[in-house]
Amino acid sequence: MYQTIERLRRDELIRVAETRREEGRPERTVYALTPAGRRTLDGWLADALATPAREFPEFPAALSFLPILPPEEAARRLDERAGAIEARLREREAALAGVRLPRLFLVEDEYQLTLLRAELDWVRGLVADLRSGALTWSGEWLADWTGTPT
């Protein structure tokens, strides 16, 4: 964090607004945006809100290697993921249950909960397809399909 603050100061995007010391607490430095910092923030925020980014999370990369596992093991591992997502979802919902803030201050949490719910639904559907045989593969099928010997 200190390296980030120092870089922002060096690039003249922030400045020290004040330094405070409260009784029994360490010295506290308060920073403020410079005009250049405000322009940079406004530009970043405009792009981040308006333009979908090409993000590369680990899960889609792992999905591309799904055929390495037998379908039964893939279903078992994905079921574990669904359980972990459910736990995270319950935890986040519980943490937000008592929060009484205007929606404006909760939209980030709302977005994260929506993503978790969508991922959970999708993973559950994939597990169901693997368990029902609607999605399956074997070494022989992969070799036939890809044209590579087993």
Side-chain angles (χ1 to χ4, degrees):
M1 182 169 80
Y2 293 111
Q3 291 173 346
T4 301
I5 290 171
E6 187 52 41
R7 181 167 178 238
L8 292 170
R9 285 184 66 191
R10 186 179 61 241
D11 293 345
E12 298 181 354
L13 300 174
I14 61 171
R15 64 173 177 74
V16 174
E18 66 178 285
T19 303
R20 299 184 204 159
R21 180 178 287 284
E22 295 176 16
E23 188 176 321
R25 309 284 283 175
E27 187 175 87
R28 179 176 166 194
T29 303
V30 177
Y31 296 92
L33 286 172
T34 64
R38 183 58 196 223
R39 285 190 303 276
T40 300
L41 173 62
D42 289 347
W44 168 82
L45 186 56
D47 287 344
L49 289 174
T51 310
R54 290 194 60 197
E55 299 173 25
F56 299 98
E58 191 172 337
F59 183 53
L63 288 171
S64 72
F65 290 96
L66 202 60
I68 291 173
L69 298 175
E72 304 78 29
E73 185 174 345
R76 188 171 53 255
R77 297 296 181 182
L78 289 164
D79 205 29
E80 288 175 22
R81 182 181 189 88
I85 295 168
E86 282 180 297
R88 188 180 307 162
L89 191 53
R90 282 193 305 270
E91 183 181 291
R92 302 268 320 246
E93 288 171 335
L96 291 170
V99 175
R100 301 288 175 240
L101 290 172
R103 182 176 178 212
L104 174 64
F105 302 115
L106 297 171
V107 293
E108 178 184 355
D109 295 296
E110 184 179 296
Y111 174 74
Q112 292 296 329
L113 288 172
T114 299
L115 290 180
L116 284 171
R117 288 181 188 117
E119 182 179 348
L120 180 58
D121 288 346
W122 186 84
V123 170
R124 283 178 176 159
L126 187 59
V127 169
D129 286 347
L130 287 164
R131 291 209 166 121
S132 73
L135 175 62
T136 193
W137 59 91
S138 66
E140 185 177 298
W141 179 87
L142 287 168
D144 286 345
W145 202 85
T146 62
T148 57
T150 54

